[in-house]
Structure formats: structure tokens, C-alpha cells
Amino acid sequence: MANKLKRPLAIMLLVMLAVLLYGCVAQPAASYKLGSSGEEVKEIQRRLRDWGYYKGPVDGKYGEATRAAVIWFQKKHGLVADGIVGAQTAEKLGIPAPKSGGSVKSGGSNSDLYLLAKLVYAEARGEPYKGKVAVAAVVLNRVESSQFPDSIPKVIYQKGAFTCVDDGQINLAPDQESLDAARDAMNGWDPSGGALFYFEPNKATSKWIWSRPQIVTIGNHIFCA
Amino acid sequence: MWNKKWVRITLISLAGALILGLSAYSIVLHDQNTSLKNQISAVYQRSFEELMSDMNSLQTKLYKLEAATGLNQYSMLLTDVWRQTGDTAGSLSLLPVSYAGTSALTQFINRTGDFCRSLLRKLSLGQSITQEEYDQIKKLAASCGEVIKSLQELYGKGFPQDGFSEAVFIPENDEKGTLDFSNQEFPRLQYDGPFSESTENKQPEGLGKNQVNQQQAAEIAAKFLGVDAGTLTADGECNGRIPCWEFSGNQDGRAFLISVTKQGGHILWYRKDNGGGISAIPTDQRYRELSKAAQQYLAEKGYGESAPSYAQFYNGMAIINLAPVEKDVVLYPDLIKVWIDIYTGEAVGLDANNYLMSHKPRDLKEPKLTAEAAREKVTPSLVVSSTRLALIPLETGEEKLCWEFTGKIEDRDYIIYINAETGQEEDILMIQHTNDGELVM
């Protein structure tokens, strides 16, 4: 009996150890620099060319011209201008690089955007993209409205205004699409047509919400004034 | 026998231990629960007390305004009121109250602040407060008094701690909750500002007269995109401030969404999937190329000449803000956004909302001030890199013809607007360079 258990246990331990070790060790600072070559270098050159930094051939050879372009790119983005594509530069260039810990960036100076993205993720992650932008737009429409508080945090944390604040889902890390939707809404795109509320018709029992003038239906949400 | 006895004893003691354990656990839970409840009700208590004291001090300041005669007192009191209203609305928003019961109070608070800000603006332009505006201030103070009375009554009844049936923000029926201002008469304010009635009810001016039905709209969308109208999927309608017909479809394997206004048959917005990409800033040279592509796109689509103003870069796209140009004047109220795929230079999005809200035939007058005379009004520390005429929208909804001076003070980028008629400094903008591009603040 005891022996039978020991083996799976040992295997489990080994697997756990392997996972742990992988987490610690498997982060080689994969960097591309003078002399590097290959498909990744080609991709680096292609991106640098499309963004205007690189005029040379896309040949997969990391030469002086590529190095100069990388330095220019790094300077423009406030990165260490060493001409080497390390983890940070690779991330900015969108080149697959080993992950270093948590990959989700918090908003930093752009905390409003991040908070809005969290709301979109919590409230509308199953919705079509347009519906996600519309949910973000509702928050911004409230900020602009005289009937609501005057900032994104005040509107989102208004007591009882969004269920995801009460059930804690607001604290989930948003995905890329939610960030994009929040950004599109902040850039002024409003597929909700100026709505102040939205609800799910098959779940909403409130007569009051049904009495609001409806503007548009997107995915599972009805948006209303 | 022995066995049975032992089993019984074991079972009973196990059950006993279980009961003891559960009781202990529930006591801990209960304590935690009580502590959390107390903490939450302390937040409500604090917010409610702050709301009361904020309303009191709002009223005091409004009454003081009535007594003031000096410009310095006016400015200080009006600034105080304006600043305080933001906090007051914030305190109210933390209370568990219903939207139906309190939206009128939030609106009253916001508009009071906005109104006082509009008075500050008048004073700064050398105008004085009219008798009508004095009367409005008096009415606002009186309304504050009524609100304070209701709040104090509730407070006396133990609100918000006891008697607190938590009102929900979106009620089931039309319950207003204990805190109910839905029947209170608040004064209607005559002024122009971001929260004023005139701004909130602004109607689009750039739509034109004719109505288009869904079929006609589909044809307009198809022509705009260069696809066959039969390939579009009708996504219904959107009846917001600018009512429109919506469609979706595929072009070259990429999904798109497009929205056509019911009145006038204009494209309100259009977005095409660009396949994603990186969020990086292109070189200035590449940015100029992308701006040119956006300008060409707008010209092709019939918006005429336009000037790029600022841009952001994300997901392989540049979102470029362009203002139409008429008689060498840059029309900022009609700002149009164009999304350009950085890889291909193709336009993958358009947002004409501002254009359709504001665009109209305008009688653009010759500037009274020359550019040189206007330059004298700008701080000498600005190193000017470009000067042009621009029409800018003000918070009040008005449009002003200004000389626009773009330049630097040390390494910071500014845009300064001098009224081309009066020489007033109408606006100062700063350009912030972020990792996503430029932000105008």
C-alpha cells in the first residue's frame, strides 16, 4: 500500500521540481546583437523598416546598419541604447522573448486606461470587440455626464454601479483585447451611441432598466440612455 | 462488545470535536464578519458626514459670494466652490444609494461647480457678474439649504448606520431609496459649460437634411469601402445622439465594422481589423509618411484639405488626428481620427463623430490681429516653431478664431492660442510624449 503510493508521489515531486527549476533557469537572456543571424533577426529588421528606423536589406544578418537602427529605436522609446535586442527591446519590438515573471504590465502613469481595461475584462470578456469598446465608452460617457461623478475611478467605484466591483472580478488582470478596447474608447470611439447604462436582457429583472430609452444592442448587452 | 463500545466512544468524541471546531470557526467568522461590516459602515458614515459638511460649506461660500464685492474675494470663493463640488460628488458616489434617488443631486452639485467656473472665466475676461447670475447664486445657496435639511433629518434617524436598507444603484422597479432627491426642485442654470444643459443636449450640426434607409445606407457603406453591397451584413441600428445604420463584413479576409448616419448618410465610424502588431513609435520621417497617407485618405473620401495634429501608436496602427482646413484656417472643432496600418500605410479606421457634430458652413472672418501682433501676447520664453490660424472649440461650446503658436520652452512642447480678434490668450496646451505617442493635455 505504502509503496504503491510512494511512486506517484515521487513522480509528482519530480515534476514540481522540474517546473520550479524551469521557472528559475529557463530564462536565458536571449539577445540579438552584432553578428547574430536568423529568422528572428529578419523579423527585427522588418519591424524596424516598417517603423522607419532601418533602410537596409531584410537579410537576417545583424550588421552595423541593424545595430544603428536598434540604437535609434531604443533612444526613441527610452530604453538603454546599447544596440542589443535584449528582453525589453524585444518586447517593444514584439519579438518573442523569454518571459520574465508576470507579463501583464500595469498601467503605470496610465492608470486610468488600466482601470478601464480591468472593468472591460470583468464586465464584457465574452462580448464581441465592439461590445467591449461600448462598455468602456459607457464609463467615459458617465464621466462626461452631469449625473455622475467626474473621473474614471469615481465612476467605476461608484457604490453599486458595476457588479464586478462587488464580486471582486474587477481585480482580475485584463487581457490585451480589453486594453485595446479601453484605449479605443479613450480615443473617442463610442459604439454605444452615448449610452449611460447597459444590461443583459435575459438576466435583467429590473423594470426600471427596461424603461430607459434603448440605443443599441451589441452581443449580449442592450445599451441605453 | 468492546469493539462496539469503542466505536461509539470514538464516534461521539469525533462528533464532539467537530462541533467544537465548527463553533470556534463560526465564532471567528462572525468576528471577522462584524469587523468587516463595521469597516464598511464606517466608510458610509464618513462619506455621509463629509457630504453634509461639504454641502454646508458650499452653502456658506455661495452666501459669501452674495456679500462679496472685491474681485479677489469673488475669485477665491468661486474657485473654492468649483473645487469642492468635485469632492462632494465623490462623497455621494461612495454611499449605497439608488441612481433614481440621487442623480438629480449629483447633477445639482456638478452644475453648481461648473456654473461657478463659468463665472470665474467671465471675471478673468474682465466682465462682471450680472444681476441674473447673482439671483442664480442665491437660489443655489437656498437649494443647498434644503439638501442639508434632508440630510440632517436622515442623520437624526441614525442614517446611514442604522435604518440602512442598502439601496441598489439600479433598482428593480423605481425605488428611490432612503436618500431621495428625485422630487426636489433644483434651480435651472443658464450658462455654458461642460455639464450645462446646452452642452449635454447639443445636437449634430453637420448631418444635412435627407434621410437614408437601411438599403441606401448599405450602398453608401459599400461604395465607401469599395465592396459589393450584397456582401454586407446588416447589424441593426444605433439610436444615440447621431442615429445610424450599422454593418459588418469582410474585405481581403479582414473583418470590418461600419456605421452610416440615418440623417445625411455619412460614415460615422469605420474600423477594419489590421491583424494586430506592435505598439512602438515610428521615426519622424515614417510618421510624416503615415500622416500624408491619412491626409490623402480624407481628401479621397471628400473631406477636403486637412492638417495632422497629433498621433498615438498601438497594435501596429497609428491613430492620427486631423483637422479640416478651410481658407487656411485649421478647424479643430471638426477633428477627424484616421487609423493607419503602419506596416502597409493603409487606412483601417475613421471616426467622424466630431466632424458630424460640429461641421457647418462658417463665416470665417479675417483676423483683426496680425500674426506679429499676436506673437507679442505670447510669452517671450516660447521658441516658436510654427504659426497658423486656427478655429478652436472652448469649454463653453463657442468657437474662437485664434493664432496658433507651436513651440518649445526649454525642452517642453507647447501650443498657445491667442484670440485673433481680442488678443486674449484662449488656451495653453502641452504635448506630452509618452511611449504610445503624443498626448495633448
Side-chain angles (χ1 to χ4, degrees), chain A residues 140-148 150, chain B residues 82 107 110-119 121 191-202 241 394-398:
Chain A
L140 300 176
N141 291 335
R142 286 187 181 185
V143 173
E144 303 252 302
S145 161
S146 63
Q147 297 178 11
F148 288 87
D150 62 357
Chain B
W82 170 53
Q107 186 170 61
N110 279 332
R111 283 197 176 150
T112 299
D114 204 23
F115 171 67
C116 286
R117 192 169 136 83
S118 82
L119 294 183
R121 195 185 144 78
Y191 77 102
D192 291 311
F195 290 139
S196 66
E197 270 188 76
S198 55
T199 308
E200 294 198 325
N201 298 328
K202 190 176 184 256
R241 194 174 282 190
L394 298 185
E395 264 186 9
T396 56
E398 294 167 278

Tab-separated table of all heavy atoms in Angstrom, chain A residues 140-148 150, chain B residues 82 107 110-119 121 191-202 241 394-398:
chain	number	residue	atom	x	y	z
A	140	LEU	N	-16.908	56.312	-19.859
A	140	LEU	CA	-16.470	57.656	-20.250
A	140	LEU	C	-17.664	58.592	-20.442
A	140	LEU	O	-17.584	59.779	-20.116
A	140	LEU	CB	-15.626	57.578	-21.521
A	140	LEU	CG	-14.368	56.715	-21.359
A	140	LEU	CD1	-13.627	56.584	-22.675
A	140	LEU	CD2	-13.447	57.317	-20.301
A	141	ASN	N	-18.779	58.064	-20.940
A	141	ASN	CA	-19.979	58.894	-21.068
A	141	ASN	C	-20.477	59.346	-19.688
A	141	ASN	O	-20.967	60.460	-19.531
A	141	ASN	CB	-21.092	58.127	-21.795
A	141	ASN	CG	-20.765	57.903	-23.256
A	141	ASN	OD1	-19.987	58.658	-23.841
A	141	ASN	ND2	-21.335	56.865	-23.854
A	142	ARG	N	-20.334	58.451	-18.701
A	142	ARG	CA	-20.737	58.831	-17.336
A	142	ARG	C	-19.831	59.940	-16.794
A	142	ARG	O	-20.300	60.860	-16.146
A	142	ARG	CB	-20.680	57.612	-16.403
A	142	ARG	CG	-21.822	56.648	-16.641
A	142	ARG	CD	-21.845	55.553	-15.597
A	142	ARG	NE	-22.944	54.621	-15.871
A	142	ARG	CZ	-23.276	53.613	-15.079
A	142	ARG	NH1	-22.596	53.389	-13.972
A	142	ARG	NH2	-24.281	52.824	-15.395
A	143	VAL	N	-18.530	59.827	-17.056
A	143	VAL	CA	-17.600	60.862	-16.585
A	143	VAL	C	-18.007	62.227	-17.159
A	143	VAL	O	-17.942	63.244	-16.485
A	143	VAL	CB	-16.146	60.524	-16.982
A	143	VAL	CG1	-15.208	61.676	-16.644
A	143	VAL	CG2	-15.682	59.252	-16.285
A	144	GLU	N	-18.473	62.219	-18.402
A	144	GLU	CA	-18.851	63.468	-19.073
A	144	GLU	C	-20.231	63.956	-18.653
A	144	GLU	O	-20.578	65.107	-18.906
A	144	GLU	CB	-18.880	63.253	-20.582
A	144	GLU	CG	-17.576	62.742	-21.145
A	144	GLU	CD	-16.849	63.800	-21.940
A	144	GLU	OE1	-17.453	64.294	-22.900
A	144	GLU	OE2	-15.700	64.115	-21.590
A	145	SER	N	-21.018	63.059	-18.048
A	145	SER	CA	-22.393	63.418	-17.705
A	145	SER	C	-22.463	64.157	-16.375
A	145	SER	O	-21.715	63.863	-15.445
A	145	SER	CB	-23.249	62.152	-17.626
A	145	SER	OG	-24.422	62.416	-16.899
A	146	SER	N	-23.390	65.097	-16.284
A	146	SER	CA	-23.555	65.833	-15.028
A	146	SER	C	-24.190	64.973	-13.945
A	146	SER	O	-24.172	65.335	-12.777
A	146	SER	CB	-24.405	67.084	-15.269
A	146	SER	OG	-25.699	66.704	-15.683
A	147	GLN	N	-24.762	63.817	-14.324
A	147	GLN	CA	-25.466	62.993	-13.334
A	147	GLN	C	-24.568	61.973	-12.657
A	147	GLN	O	-25.037	61.142	-11.886
A	147	GLN	CB	-26.621	62.263	-14.004
A	147	GLN	CG	-27.656	63.225	-14.546
A	147	GLN	CD	-28.772	62.488	-15.237
A	147	GLN	OE1	-28.891	61.277	-15.143
A	147	GLN	NE2	-29.600	63.235	-15.934
A	148	PHE	N	-23.279	62.000	-12.995
A	148	PHE	CA	-22.342	61.026	-12.439
A	148	PHE	C	-21.096	61.760	-11.957
A	148	PHE	O	-20.879	62.918	-12.317
A	148	PHE	CB	-21.965	59.994	-13.507
A	148	PHE	CG	-23.075	59.033	-13.827
A	148	PHE	CD1	-24.024	59.349	-14.781
A	148	PHE	CD2	-23.187	57.834	-13.151
A	148	PHE	CE1	-25.065	58.478	-15.072
A	148	PHE	CE2	-24.220	56.954	-13.431
A	148	PHE	CZ	-25.157	57.275	-14.397
A	150	ASP	N	-17.010	62.759	-11.609
A	150	ASP	CA	-16.277	63.369	-12.715
A	150	ASP	C	-14.929	62.743	-13.051
A	150	ASP	O	-14.083	63.387	-13.653
A	150	ASP	CB	-16.098	64.857	-12.437
A	150	ASP	CG	-15.283	65.096	-11.182
A	150	ASP	OD1	-14.915	64.114	-10.512
A	150	ASP	OD2	-15.003	66.261	-10.859
B	82	TRP	N	-15.945	75.609	-6.934
B	82	TRP	CA	-15.712	74.720	-8.066
B	82	TRP	C	-14.917	73.485	-7.638
B	82	TRP	O	-15.231	72.361	-7.999
B	82	TRP	CB	-14.987	75.503	-9.173
B	82	TRP	CG	-14.496	74.637	-10.268
B	82	TRP	CD1	-15.245	73.731	-10.976
B	82	TRP	CD2	-13.176	74.548	-10.768
B	82	TRP	NE1	-14.454	73.096	-11.899
B	82	TRP	CE2	-13.177	73.586	-11.799
B	82	TRP	CE3	-11.990	75.209	-10.462
B	82	TRP	CZ2	-12.040	73.257	-12.512
B	82	TRP	CZ3	-10.860	74.878	-11.183
B	82	TRP	CH2	-10.883	73.925	-12.196
B	107	GLN	N	-26.271	65.866	-10.187
B	107	GLN	CA	-26.318	66.856	-11.254
B	107	GLN	C	-26.279	68.278	-10.688
B	107	GLN	O	-25.565	69.142	-11.196
B	107	GLN	CB	-27.585	66.652	-12.077
B	107	GLN	CG	-27.641	67.545	-13.292
B	107	GLN	CD	-28.780	67.154	-14.214
B	107	GLN	OE1	-29.942	67.200	-13.805
B	107	GLN	NE2	-28.466	66.775	-15.431
B	110	ASN	N	-22.677	68.959	-9.548
B	110	ASN	CA	-21.778	69.145	-10.698
B	110	ASN	C	-22.037	70.465	-11.412
B	110	ASN	O	-21.102	71.173	-11.798
B	110	ASN	CB	-21.940	67.990	-11.692
B	110	ASN	CG	-21.165	66.758	-11.268
B	110	ASN	OD1	-20.151	66.860	-10.591
B	110	ASN	ND2	-21.650	65.595	-11.657
B	111	ARG	N	-23.312	70.781	-11.602
B	111	ARG	CA	-23.627	72.005	-12.354
B	111	ARG	C	-23.299	73.255	-11.535
B	111	ARG	O	-22.898	74.274	-12.100
B	111	ARG	CB	-25.099	72.010	-12.780
B	111	ARG	CG	-25.325	71.096	-13.958
B	111	ARG	CD	-26.628	71.350	-14.661
B	111	ARG	NE	-26.704	70.493	-15.843
B	111	ARG	CZ	-27.819	70.013	-16.353
B	111	ARG	NH1	-28.986	70.329	-15.793
B	111	ARG	NH2	-27.803	69.249	-17.426
B	112	THR	N	-23.447	73.162	-10.209
B	112	THR	CA	-23.076	74.306	-9.379
B	112	THR	C	-21.598	74.646	-9.573
B	112	THR	O	-21.224	75.804	-9.772
B	112	THR	CB	-23.358	74.007	-7.889
B	112	THR	OG1	-24.758	73.758	-7.735
B	112	THR	CG2	-22.965	75.169	-6.998
B	113	GLY	N	-20.758	73.596	-9.545
B	113	GLY	CA	-19.329	73.809	-9.741
B	113	GLY	C	-19.021	74.351	-11.118
B	113	GLY	O	-18.231	75.290	-11.289
B	114	ASP	N	-19.666	73.756	-12.110
B	114	ASP	CA	-19.452	74.140	-13.497
B	114	ASP	C	-19.881	75.595	-13.735
B	114	ASP	O	-19.186	76.363	-14.410
B	114	ASP	CB	-20.302	73.191	-14.343
B	114	ASP	CG	-19.784	73.059	-15.750
B	114	ASP	OD1	-18.594	73.315	-15.960
B	114	ASP	OD2	-20.575	72.703	-16.635
B	115	PHE	N	-21.003	75.955	-13.134
B	115	PHE	CA	-21.533	77.320	-13.244
B	115	PHE	C	-20.544	78.324	-12.637
B	115	PHE	O	-20.234	79.365	-13.230
B	115	PHE	CB	-22.894	77.380	-12.548
B	115	PHE	CG	-23.468	78.760	-12.397
B	115	PHE	CD1	-23.863	79.491	-13.507
B	115	PHE	CD2	-23.641	79.321	-11.131
B	115	PHE	CE1	-24.409	80.766	-13.371
B	115	PHE	CE2	-24.183	80.590	-10.983
B	115	PHE	CZ	-24.561	81.316	-12.107
B	116	CYS	N	-20.020	77.978	-11.459
B	116	CYS	CA	-19.071	78.888	-10.803
B	116	CYS	C	-17.792	79.020	-11.624
B	116	CYS	O	-17.183	80.092	-11.686
B	116	CYS	CB	-18.751	78.396	-9.392
B	116	CYS	SG	-20.134	78.684	-8.275
B	117	ARG	N	-17.398	77.933	-12.251
B	117	ARG	CA	-16.224	78.001	-13.124
B	117	ARG	C	-16.478	78.923	-14.313
B	117	ARG	O	-15.605	79.680	-14.734
B	117	ARG	CB	-15.879	76.604	-13.613
B	117	ARG	CG	-14.530	76.522	-14.268
B	117	ARG	CD	-14.170	75.066	-14.455
B	117	ARG	NE	-13.603	74.817	-15.775
B	117	ARG	CZ	-12.330	75.018	-16.072
B	117	ARG	NH1	-11.506	75.469	-15.162
B	117	ARG	NH2	-11.884	74.768	-17.285
B	118	SER	N	-17.703	78.887	-14.840
B	118	SER	CA	-18.012	79.761	-15.971
B	118	SER	C	-18.000	81.235	-15.529
B	118	SER	O	-17.604	82.115	-16.284
B	118	SER	CB	-19.354	79.382	-16.608
B	118	SER	OG	-20.422	79.949	-15.890
B	119	LEU	N	-18.405	81.487	-14.255
B	119	LEU	CA	-18.347	82.858	-13.733
B	119	LEU	C	-16.891	83.306	-13.570
B	119	LEU	O	-16.538	84.455	-13.860
B	119	LEU	CB	-19.067	82.960	-12.384
B	119	LEU	CG	-20.592	82.736	-12.406
B	119	LEU	CD1	-21.165	82.940	-11.013
B	119	LEU	CD2	-21.269	83.676	-13.399
B	121	ARG	N	-14.441	82.390	-15.317
B	121	ARG	CA	-13.950	82.683	-16.654
B	121	ARG	C	-14.365	84.085	-17.090
B	121	ARG	O	-13.571	84.860	-17.614
B	121	ARG	CB	-14.517	81.635	-17.615
B	121	ARG	CG	-13.837	81.600	-18.933
B	121	ARG	CD	-14.518	80.640	-19.877
B	121	ARG	NE	-14.462	81.198	-21.210
B	121	ARG	CZ	-13.371	81.161	-21.973
B	121	ARG	NH1	-12.292	80.584	-21.541
B	121	ARG	NH2	-13.361	81.716	-23.158
B	191	TYR	N	-26.206	78.918	-18.317
B	191	TYR	CA	-24.792	79.189	-18.567
B	191	TYR	C	-24.305	78.165	-19.575
B	191	TYR	O	-25.021	77.234	-19.932
B	191	TYR	CB	-23.986	79.081	-17.261
B	191	TYR	CG	-23.719	77.658	-16.838
B	191	TYR	CD1	-22.481	77.061	-17.049
B	191	TYR	CD2	-24.724	76.882	-16.272
B	191	TYR	CE1	-22.248	75.744	-16.690
B	191	TYR	CE2	-24.503	75.561	-15.917
B	191	TYR	CZ	-23.263	75.000	-16.128
B	191	TYR	OH	-23.041	73.687	-15.794
B	192	ASP	N	-23.068	78.322	-20.033
B	192	ASP	CA	-22.472	77.350	-20.942
B	192	ASP	C	-21.221	76.753	-20.330
B	192	ASP	O	-20.315	77.470	-19.925
B	192	ASP	CB	-22.109	78.020	-22.273
B	192	ASP	CG	-23.353	78.410	-23.048
B	192	ASP	OD1	-24.234	77.552	-23.183
B	192	ASP	OD2	-23.445	79.575	-23.471
B	193	GLY	N	-21.186	75.438	-20.236
B	193	GLY	CA	-20.025	74.739	-19.698
B	193	GLY	C	-20.163	73.266	-20.015
B	193	GLY	O	-21.176	72.852	-20.571
B	194	PRO	N	-19.147	72.474	-19.638
B	194	PRO	CA	-19.170	71.057	-20.000
B	194	PRO	C	-20.401	70.303	-19.469
B	194	PRO	O	-20.855	69.356	-20.085
B	194	PRO	CB	-17.905	70.489	-19.359
B	194	PRO	CG	-17.062	71.646	-19.008
B	194	PRO	CD	-17.918	72.855	-18.950
B	195	PHE	N	-20.924	70.708	-18.293
B	195	PHE	CA	-22.059	69.985	-17.708
B	195	PHE	C	-23.389	70.705	-17.928
B	195	PHE	O	-24.418	70.298	-17.403
B	195	PHE	CB	-21.862	69.799	-16.199
B	195	PHE	CG	-20.771	68.833	-15.847
B	195	PHE	CD1	-19.912	69.098	-14.796
B	195	PHE	CD2	-20.617	67.647	-16.556
B	195	PHE	CE1	-18.903	68.204	-14.461
B	195	PHE	CE2	-19.617	66.743	-16.228
B	195	PHE	CZ	-18.756	67.026	-15.172
B	196	SER	N	-23.376	71.814	-18.670
B	196	SER	CA	-24.607	72.595	-18.795
B	196	SER	C	-25.608	71.886	-19.702
B	196	SER	O	-25.246	71.021	-20.506
B	196	SER	CB	-24.295	73.986	-19.342
B	196	SER	OG	-23.812	73.888	-20.666
B	197	GLU	N	-26.872	72.262	-19.544
B	197	GLU	CA	-27.934	71.648	-20.357
B	197	GLU	C	-27.648	71.815	-21.833
B	197	GLU	O	-27.824	70.900	-22.628
B	197	GLU	CB	-29.272	72.315	-20.024
B	197	GLU	CG	-30.027	71.651	-18.899
B	197	GLU	CD	-31.419	72.243	-18.759
B	197	GLU	OE1	-32.297	71.929	-19.585
B	197	GLU	OE2	-31.603	73.017	-17.814
B	198	SER	N	-27.178	73.024	-22.203
B	198	SER	CA	-26.949	73.292	-23.622
B	198	SER	C	-25.904	72.352	-24.208
B	198	SER	O	-26.036	71.876	-25.329
B	198	SER	CB	-26.515	74.745	-23.807
B	198	SER	OG	-25.396	75.017	-22.999
B	199	THR	N	-24.847	72.046	-23.413
B	199	THR	CA	-23.811	71.151	-23.909
B	199	THR	C	-24.320	69.714	-23.965
B	199	THR	O	-24.094	68.995	-24.930
B	199	THR	CB	-22.572	71.212	-22.996
B	199	THR	OG1	-22.203	72.576	-22.853
B	199	THR	CG2	-21.414	70.441	-23.579
B	200	GLU	N	-25.006	69.293	-22.882
B	200	GLU	CA	-25.442	67.900	-22.820
B	200	GLU	C	-26.514	67.591	-23.868
B	200	GLU	O	-26.680	66.454	-24.267
B	200	GLU	CB	-25.931	67.562	-21.405
B	200	GLU	CG	-24.787	67.614	-20.400
B	200	GLU	CD	-25.073	66.884	-19.098
B	200	GLU	OE1	-26.234	66.908	-18.651
B	200	GLU	OE2	-24.133	66.296	-18.536
B	201	ASN	N	-27.241	68.617	-24.285
B	201	ASN	CA	-28.285	68.370	-25.290
B	201	ASN	C	-27.877	68.833	-26.681
B	201	ASN	O	-28.723	68.981	-27.552
B	201	ASN	CB	-29.581	69.080	-24.885
B	201	ASN	CG	-30.102	68.551	-23.565
B	201	ASN	OD1	-29.918	67.384	-23.253
B	201	ASN	ND2	-30.721	69.414	-22.772
B	202	LYS	N	-26.585	69.059	-26.866
B	202	LYS	CA	-26.122	69.555	-28.161
B	202	LYS	C	-26.525	68.581	-29.280
B	202	LYS	O	-26.403	67.373	-29.139
B	202	LYS	CB	-24.595	69.714	-28.130
B	202	LYS	CG	-24.053	70.443	-29.348
B	202	LYS	CD	-22.546	70.666	-29.254
B	202	LYS	CE	-22.062	71.479	-30.427
B	202	LYS	NZ	-21.377	70.748	-31.459
B	241	ARG	N	-27.014	59.813	-30.068
B	241	ARG	CA	-27.104	61.223	-30.427
B	241	ARG	C	-27.067	61.394	-31.948
B	241	ARG	O	-27.724	62.255	-32.500
B	241	ARG	CB	-25.939	61.992	-29.784
B	241	ARG	CG	-26.151	63.476	-29.828
B	241	ARG	CD	-25.063	64.203	-29.074
B	241	ARG	NE	-25.258	64.168	-27.637
B	241	ARG	CZ	-24.539	64.886	-26.783
B	241	ARG	NH1	-23.585	65.689	-27.228
B	241	ARG	NH2	-24.767	64.804	-25.495
B	394	LEU	N	-14.171	76.064	-27.409
B	394	LEU	CA	-13.980	76.348	-25.985
B	394	LEU	C	-14.896	75.452	-25.173
B	394	LEU	O	-15.831	74.845	-25.697
B	394	LEU	CB	-14.285	77.815	-25.686
B	394	LEU	CG	-13.407	78.846	-26.387
B	394	LEU	CD1	-13.744	80.237	-25.892
B	394	LEU	CD2	-11.924	78.553	-26.153
B	395	GLU	N	-14.604	75.368	-23.865
B	395	GLU	CA	-15.452	74.586	-22.955
B	395	GLU	C	-16.903	75.020	-23.028
B	395	GLU	O	-17.810	74.241	-22.788
B	395	GLU	CB	-14.981	74.824	-21.514
B	395	GLU	CG	-14.044	73.790	-21.018
B	395	GLU	CD	-13.737	73.995	-19.545
B	395	GLU	OE1	-14.394	74.840	-18.898
B	395	GLU	OE2	-12.847	73.297	-19.057
B	396	THR	N	-17.096	76.288	-23.342
B	396	THR	CA	-18.443	76.834	-23.349
B	396	THR	C	-19.213	76.432	-24.599
B	396	THR	O	-20.384	76.738	-24.728
B	396	THR	CB	-18.378	78.366	-23.331
B	396	THR	OG1	-17.575	78.776	-24.446
B	396	THR	CG2	-17.743	78.865	-22.065
B	397	GLY	N	-18.545	75.753	-25.534
B	397	GLY	CA	-19.205	75.375	-26.774
B	397	GLY	C	-18.995	76.397	-27.877
B	397	GLY	O	-19.325	76.153	-29.029
B	398	GLU	N	-18.450	77.588	-27.506
B	398	GLU	CA	-18.170	78.601	-28.530
B	398	GLU	C	-16.953	78.191	-29.356
B	398	GLU	O	-16.150	77.371	-28.930
B	398	GLU	CB	-17.801	79.934	-27.866
B	398	GLU	CG	-18.885	80.602	-27.083
B	398	GLU	CD	-18.279	81.718	-26.240
B	398	GLU	OE1	-17.745	81.409	-25.153
B	398	GLU	OE2	-18.309	82.870	-26.691
